[in-house]
Amino acid sequence: MADSSPILPGATIGILGSGQLGRMLAIAARTLGYRVHVYSPDADSPAGAVADREVVASYLDLDQVREFARGVDVVTFEFENVPSATSVAAAEVTRVRPDGHVLHVTQQRLREKTFLREGGFPVTPFRAIRSEEDLIQATAALGIPGVLKTASFGYDGKGQQMIRSGDALPEAYAMLRGAEGIYEAFVDFEKEVSVVAARTLDGSFKAFPVFENTHHHHILDVTFAPAAIPGALAREAEELARGILEALKVVGLLTVEMFVTRDGRIVVNELAPRTHNSGHLTIDACVTSQFEQQVRAICGLPLGSTELRSPAAMSNLLGDVWIDAGGVPEWGAALSDPGIRLHLYGKADPRRGRKMGHLTATGETVASAVERVRQARARLVPPPLKPF
Ligand code: AMP
């Protein structure tokens, strides 16, 4: 539904998806005086626990989706793998921001990379993989090493593998189990950065400072800001994000994950049409958080300042921390540094690799902020008892 009038505090925001991104979005929306309804197949969800209403239903139950959409003033999402049919059904009834087209492009790697390449944005060379023969030809054309990924439903390195030799191709292709894949030339990157940016219906745009991201076992581990890259490269990253949000006519927030190559170029890796794990430090370190910015952007309010008040760092807390601590992490030890902020997502079941929360610290320098969050996280797990 097209309606350009602003959606003012007091109105109701509907969120498709109910994980931690939805939870922090709901908290920001409620702070601004909005009501929040969430919709997902999961009961007792992180977002549902802080929402005014939690609807538990399948994304493909389109009658329920329409019913949900009738009860809200705008629908957004915190999870891009919501089926296209879901956003189409919601859009019959109310505003959906960003719209279904943005979702369609960004939820499939081949479509996403094709959009980027055609728009003149820098991406690594890639090929669609629909047969083993395609993979043989792609590796011949683009070279080895490279990365084979499933085209859909991949996250945190799931559904992807590095190809290091031609001998590995049959086994690598088998991993796709008949699903469509993408083969990408390997990017010899020096670091990974991200730009979280927002755009409103009238075209105004604001990006957060560039975040620098380090991963552990393919999962984001520590983010810090500002990224340790030259100013000209940071401006280039921001301009790329601006171009991408404009080309997609995003109304809302979108994250651009990028590589910085060893020879100082930026290559776009992935888009996420939503807030991002790397943007969590904005809650404690920026004038406006990424979640408040998403609310402002989808509701047609002026965008808030993205100024970073001081260097900052964020470390993820995975279920591993609970398991390694033997059940309950040493919260008091982590918080003994009064500058540490703790964010937990209300998830009951800690599993290895599951994102349960995060810590944020600010500091005089990026290095001191990183050191503080790393040390605080280390204190969550008591050292093993020394043998006699
Ligand atoms: P993705 O799921 O596309 O975000 O990829 C997960 C991680 O795999 C990235 O954060 C990189 O560390 C690595 N990676 C993905 N694609 C490539 C590539 N083409 N070249 C080198 N490393 C990659």
Side-chain angles (χ1 to χ4, degrees), residues 109 112-113 124-125 145-149 154-160 162 183-189 192 215 218-219 257-259 267 269-270 276:
R109 292 182 197 273
E112 181 174 282
K113 287 233 158 63
T124 193
V147 185
L148 178 65
K149 306 176 181 180
Y155 71 99
D156 286 346
K158 292 194 172 64
Q160 70 166 265
M162 187 72 182
Y183 182 74
E184 299 180 4
F186 181 74
V187 180
D188 185 20
F189 62 86
E192 296 188 70
H215 296 82
H218 292 290
I219 301 176
E257 296 178 17
M258 308 173 188
F259 299 119
V267 174
N269 177 34
E270 220 184 358
H276 194 258

Side-chain angles (χ1 to χ4, degrees), residues 18 60 125 178 189 194 208 219 252 255 271 273 283 328 346-347 386:
S18 60
L60 289 171
F189 62 86
S194 51
F208 286 95
I219 301 176
T255 303
L271 309 179
I283 300 174
V328 183
K347 297 183 183 177
K386 289 203 177 70

Side-chain angles (χ1 to χ4, degrees), residues 21 23-32 196-198 206-209 211 252-253 274-276 278-297 302-309 341 343 358 360:
L21 299 177
R23 179 184 177 95
M24 290 181 272
L25 174 61
I27 291 169
R30 294 185 75 156
T31 303
L32 286 171
V196 178
K206 271 192 204 298
F208 286 95
F211 305 131
L253 200 113
R274 51 164 172 76
T275 54
H276 194 258
S278 62
H280 291 354
L281 58 74
T282 60
I283 300 174
D284 302 309
C286 289
V287 174
T288 310
S289 77
Q290 61 169 348
F291 301 100
E292 177 173 339
Q293 198 75 309
Q294 183 176 16
V295 173
R296 288 174 178 239
L303 295 177
S305 164
T306 53
E307 186 194 333
L308 187 68
R309 293 188 222 250
R341 305 289 326 280
H343 300 257
H358 68 269
T360 320

Side-chain angles (χ1 to χ4, degrees), residues 76-309:
T76 190
F77 37 86
E78 60 104 58
F79 168 67
E80 68 268 34
N81 288 324
V82 168
S84 281
T86 312
S87 66
V88 169
E92 288 166 13
V93 181
T94 191
R95 294 165 276 213
V96 177
R97 293 175 177 168
D99 66 19
H101 170 67
V102 177
L103 200 67
H104 181 72
V105 171
T106 57
Q107 68 186 188
Q108 211 261 13
R109 292 182 197 273
L110 277 165
R111 276 201 292 271
E112 181 174 282
K113 287 233 158 63
T114 304
F115 153 78
L116 289 166
R117 186 171 63 188
E118 287 175 356
F121 302 105
V123 285
T124 193
F126 65 92
R127 292 277 172 95
I129 305 298
R130 300 188 180 98
S131 65
E132 196 176 317
E133 184 53 33
D134 284 349
L135 184 57
I136 292 167
Q137 287 186 11
T139 49
L142 306 183
I144 289 177
V147 185
L148 178 65
K149 306 176 181 180
T150 52
S152 306
F153 300 115
Y155 71 99
D156 286 346
K158 292 194 172 64
Q160 70 166 265
Q161 55 186 313
M162 187 72 182
I163 307 279
R164 290 195 174 82
S165 106
D167 300 342
L169 299 186
E171 203 181 313
Y173 179 72
M175 176 213 80
L176 293 178
R177 296 193 191 161
E180 198 173 29
I182 177 172
Y183 182 74
E184 299 180 4
F186 181 74
V187 180
D188 185 20
F189 62 86
E190 188 190 331
K191 48 182 66 177
E192 296 188 70
V193 299
S194 51
V195 176
V196 178
R199 184 177 172 276
T200 57
L201 199 57
D202 63 9
S204 66
F205 170 90
K206 271 192 204 298
F208 286 95
V210 180
F211 305 131
E212 184 164 334
N213 304 317
T214 59
H215 296 82
H216 185 64
H217 295 320
H218 292 290
I219 301 176
L220 185 67
D221 184 39
V222 170
T223 292
F224 58 85
I229 57 174
L233 212 58
R235 283 189 290 282
E236 192 185 324
E238 184 184 328
E239 285 313 307
L240 277 173
R242 183 196 299 272
I244 291 167
L245 271 80
E246 272 172 15
L248 284 170
K249 296 193 174 56
V250 171
V251 177
L253 200 113
L254 184 135
T255 303
V256 186
E257 296 178 17
M258 308 173 188
F259 299 119
V260 177
T261 63
R262 291 191 195 281
D263 53 0
R265 287 174 303 116
I266 292 180
V267 174
V268 176
N269 177 34
E270 220 184 358
L271 309 179
R274 51 164 172 76
T275 54
H276 194 258
N277 194 169
S278 62
H280 291 354
L281 58 74
T282 60
I283 300 174
D284 302 309
C286 289
V287 174
T288 310
S289 77
Q290 61 169 348
F291 301 100
E292 177 173 339
Q293 198 75 309
Q294 183 176 16
V295 173
R296 288 174 178 239
I298 63 172
C299 291
L301 298 179
L303 295 177
S305 164
T306 53
E307 186 194 333
L308 187 68
R309 293 188 222 250

Side-chain angles (χ1 to χ4, degrees), residues 352-371:
R352 289 207 183 270
R354 186 174 198 211
K355 292 174 182 169
M356 303 289 290
H358 68 269
L359 299 172
T360 320
T362 51
E364 299 266 299
T365 62
V366 161
S368 65
V370 169
E371 187 61 17

